[in-house]
Amino acid sequence: MAPSSKKLVVQFVALSLMIAAVHGCGPHCPTPSPPPPATSGGTCPINTLTLGVCADVLNLLKLHFGVPANEQCCPLLAGLADLDAAVCLCTAIRAKILGVVNLNVTADIVLLLNQCGKTCPAGFTCPR
């Protein structure tokens, strides 16, 4: 090889290494796994025994009846963040205050939270 072609090869290799360094490991990079869904982190700052009034609301919702505007469940959850409200309902269900059979816990929590203008956090499951 002539001296100028050696210089071109060295420049090409150097440029290739710089490009590889900028792009990391290239197309063979492992894709990062998504973070696990939020299943805890919330707290229940209220006495869950007071959530017993939500049992009537839940029964009406399951039977597809309207819930009166002056019902007592939503005001108890009103000042809570969505995650905290969900944790409180989980705690009440676990303590069997709401009388819910554990087969549809997530659906029951979503029903109650929606009724109270709250949103169940994505991927939420009751803490154990």
Side-chain angles (χ1 to χ4, degrees):
M1 265 196 225
S4 62
S5 27
K6 283 185 183 181
K7 186 177 179 181
L8 284 175
V9 170
V10 169
Q11 288 176 342
F12 176 75
V13 170
L15 182 61
S16 297
L17 289 173
M18 287 186 342
I19 290 172
V22 169
H23 291 291
C25 57
H28 303 292
C29 289
T31 55
S33 57
T39 56
S40 63
T43 60
C44 185
I46 62 173
N47 181 349
T48 54
L49 291 175
T50 61
L51 292 176
V53 297
C54 294
D56 293 336
V57 173
L58 183 59
N59 288 332
L60 289 174
L61 290 172
K62 283 183 173 183
L63 296 173
H64 302 287
F65 289 125
V67 178
N70 64 350
E71 57 89 9
Q72 299 173 356
C73 181
C74 293
L76 294 173
L77 302 174
L80 301 177
D82 291 349
L83 179 60
D84 291 341
V87 170
C88 285
L89 291 174
C90 286
T91 304
I93 288 171
R94 262 199 326 256
K96 300 192 187 328
I97 293 168
L98 299 182
V100 176
V101 177
N102 286 338
L103 296 176
N104 255 341
V105 170
T106 303
D108 295 331
I109 289 173
V110 170
L111 277 173
L112 274 172
L113 289 174
N114 286 343
Q115 174 64 30
C116 296
K118 303 228 174 256
T119 304
C120 191
F124 178 82
T125 56
C126 284
R128 301 214 178 254

